[in-house]
Amino acid sequence: MGKVISAMSISVDGYVGAADPEQWWPVHERLHGWVFGLAAWRSRQNMEGGAHTVSSDLVAEEFAGTGAYVLGRNMFDYGQEPWGEKPPFQAPVFVPTHRPREPLTRIGTTFTFVTEGIEAALKLAREAAGDKNVFVSGGASIVQQCIRAGLLDELHLHQTPVLLGAGIRLWDDIGTDWKDLQPTRVTAADGVTHLYYGFDNTQK
C-alpha cells in the first residue's frame, strides 16, 4: 500500500494563500509561480514546452507515484471550469463535502463526492490507488484536518523565498499535540526550496 502525501507551496512565514479576495491572485502567483513554467506541470495542463529542471523532476515524480487524489470542495469548485474536459489529475479524485452530488466523469478522472468525512474519503482513495500513493491536494483546510488527525505519512513543502505577513496560514488549526517530523529530502532550486518531511505516526 502506498503513502498518504500532501504538498503545499508555502511562504517562509507559513502562509499558503490570501485571506483577502483582492489579494488572491497576486499571492497565488507569488507562491506557485515556480511551478508554472515546468515541463512536468505544463504537460499535465495539456500544454507544450516548459523547463526540464530539478523542480520539474520532483513534480513528475509526485505525479507518477500518485494513484488517487483527495481534494477539498472549494478547490474543486474553483478548478472545475478551468480544468476543462481533461483535468490534470488523470486518476480518481475524492472530494469530502457537505454538499452531495453525483460523480462527475471527465477524461482520465472521475470526481467522487464523499459526505462521510475526510477519513472516509481517504479510505476510498487508498482502495482506488492500490500500491500507489494518495495525494491530498488541498486547499489549506483539508490539509490541516489531515495533520490534526494524524492522517499524513509525508508532507512536501515547496517554500518560496517571500515573507507575506498575512493570509491563510498552514500552521493554524492543526491541533495542540506534538507531531514529530523526519526530514527526508531538501532540494534547493530556482525560486523555491523543496522540503520533504515524514510523519512519525507510530503513536497513532
Side-chain angles (χ1 to χ4, degrees):
M1 181 175 290
K3 299 176 181 179
V4 178
I5 296 172
S6 185
M8 300 288 284
S9 289
I10 189 168
S11 69
V12 172
D13 51 347
Y15 294 100
V16 294
D20 180 354
E22 293 187 1
Q23 290 298 309
W24 188 92
W25 183 248
V27 169
H28 181 80
E29 280 197 313
R30 185 63 186 87
L31 289 178
H32 299 276
W34 65 273
V35 79
F36 297 147
L38 302 182
W41 185 86
R42 291 177 62 86
S43 176
R44 280 297 184 104
Q45 312 303 315
N46 307 309
M47 302 165 66
E48 297 181 354
H52 294 274
T53 65
V54 63
S55 292
S56 184
D57 291 343
L58 291 178
V59 170
E61 181 182 300
E62 287 182 345
F63 281 136
T66 300
Y69 290 84
V70 173
L71 187 72
R73 181 62 186 264
N74 288 340
M75 188 170 176
F76 167 80
D77 288 343
Y78 177 82
Q80 179 183 359
E81 183 175 345
W83 289 331
E85 290 298 312
K86 189 178 180 182
F89 307 100
Q90 297 300 292
V93 178
F94 298 87
V95 183
T97 180
H98 297 297
R99 293 175 283 145
R101 60 171 288 177
E102 292 299 311
L104 175 68
T105 299
R106 292 289 184 258
I107 298 172
T109 302
T110 295
F111 297 93
T112 301
F113 300 87
V114 183
T115 57
E116 294 82 16
I118 181 64
E119 294 197 34
L122 281 171
K123 182 176 184 296
L124 292 171
R126 279 187 176 276
E127 293 170 354
D131 292 334
K132 287 193 170 185
N133 299 324
V134 172
F135 198 91
V136 180
S137 192
S141 176
I142 198 167
V143 177
Q144 289 166 338
Q145 291 177 54
C146 288
I147 294 173
R148 189 167 61 244
L151 299 174
L152 293 182
D153 297 306
E154 291 185 10
L155 179 62
H156 301 172
L157 298 177
H158 305 297
Q159 188 182 74
T160 57
V162 62
L163 298 169
L164 292 177
I168 299 170
R169 194 167 182 275
L170 181 62
W171 310 127
D172 292 336
D173 199 26
I174 60 170
T176 58
D177 296 334
W178 285 17
K179 298 166 180 65
D180 289 323
L181 304 176
Q182 177 64 45
T184 59
R185 185 188 304 184
V186 177
T187 304
D190 186 16
V192 62
T193 301
H194 306 282
L195 307 170
Y196 284 27
Y197 295 96
F199 280 85
D200 180 2
N201 292 321
T202 58
Q203 297 182 1
K204 286 200 304 183

